[in-house]
Amino acid sequence: MDELRRREIEENLTELRERIAAACGSSGRSVDEVHLIAVTKTYPVDDVRILCDLGIHDLGENRDQEARAKAEAFAAQDGREVRWHFIGQLQSNKAKSVVRYASMVHTVDRSSLADALRKAATEPLDCLVQLSVDGDPERGGVTADGLGALVERIEYPLRLRGVMAVAPLGMPPAEAFDAVAAMHDKVLAIRPDAVIRCIGMSDDFETAIAHGATHIRVGSALLGHRTVR
Ligand SMILES: *Cc1c(COP(=O)(O)O)cnc(C)c1O
């Protein structure tokens, strides 16, 4: 394996962990409260192996075809346990494929998708409801008015573990994450154990940590800038 690449990722991870620790420090939180999901989309299975060597076992992917191929290739080449997080927009007809490799689906944003996942799941599946703070259909997510009904629809074998959101472009992340916090409170009133708040990416994870992120999804700060997506 490419030693230079390994060193590059290791340095990025060291720097990232320092930034996470600093953000936790300034908001009076413990680093143990913030879980890192490494977003590996567009990057090869060799990078997954390096991340695994460095102690990262939670990986995020946003396209079913790529995710499934990578998950299968990793499983075939490497015996270690990893958790694949599906973080992209998901069509209902891909539910059957995604449940085969995903440990958690972050982007449940409509009843029809919850129903498709419920039918497809052969064992309990952790899910997050994706929140939309501005109603933009391009990014996906459920708005405040549909939230209660969607939460009720997430039933066994699905397990609602919390919420996920992407801050809209052009909105200050602090404002977006305030709105997420308010919506998450509504979810917690219905499902008190849905405590995951998955917000924050390379450009805004420090703000997300200040706004109660329990999980952050970091790609480019760890693996480098992508030319696509
Ligand atoms: C790509 C992606 C990320 C990671 O983005 P970076 O800016 O590279 O950290 C996080 N969340 C979702 C939903 C993504 O699609």
Side-chain angles (χ1 to χ4, degrees), residues 85-228:
H85 294 254
F86 192 82
I87 63 171
Q89 284 199 59
L90 184 56
Q91 294 169 297
S92 295
N93 63 8
K94 301 279 174 64
K96 263 207 185 86
S97 173
V98 164
V99 301
R100 288 176 49 174
Y101 59 84
S103 297
M104 191 183 285
V105 176
H106 288 225
T107 45
V108 182
D109 64 354
R110 56 197 190 279
S111 298
S112 55
L113 177 58
D115 292 347
L117 288 166
R118 244 168 58 201
K119 278 198 203 103
T122 53
E123 51 189 270
L125 176 68
D126 288 341
C127 292
L128 303 180
V129 162
Q130 183 182 356
L131 305 175
S132 170
V133 299
D134 67 348
D136 178 0
E138 273 288 302
R139 210 176 308 101
V142 64
T143 51
D145 35 304
L147 184 57
L150 177 59
V151 165
E152 300 292 355
R153 199 74 163 251
I154 300 181
E155 298 173 331
Y156 188 85
L158 307 186
R159 294 192 294 219
L160 182 63
R161 302 290 312 280
V163 300
M164 175 273 209
V166 180
L169 282 175
M171 186 189 283
E175 194 181 309
F177 296 150
D178 276 337
V180 168
M183 288 172 82
H184 192 190
D185 284 344
K186 285 190 186 138
V187 173
L188 286 165
I190 312 172
R191 300 280 184 92
D193 54 353
V195 295
I196 291 179
R197 185 178 297 173
C198 183
I199 50 173
M201 321 189 346
S202 293
D203 289 338
D204 59 16
F205 69 84
E206 281 132 328
T207 309
I209 288 171
H211 285 76
T214 63
H215 292 62
I216 59 175
R217 309 174 305 271
V218 178
S220 50
L222 209 43
L223 298 175
H225 283 281
R226 300 174 297 274
T227 49
V228 286

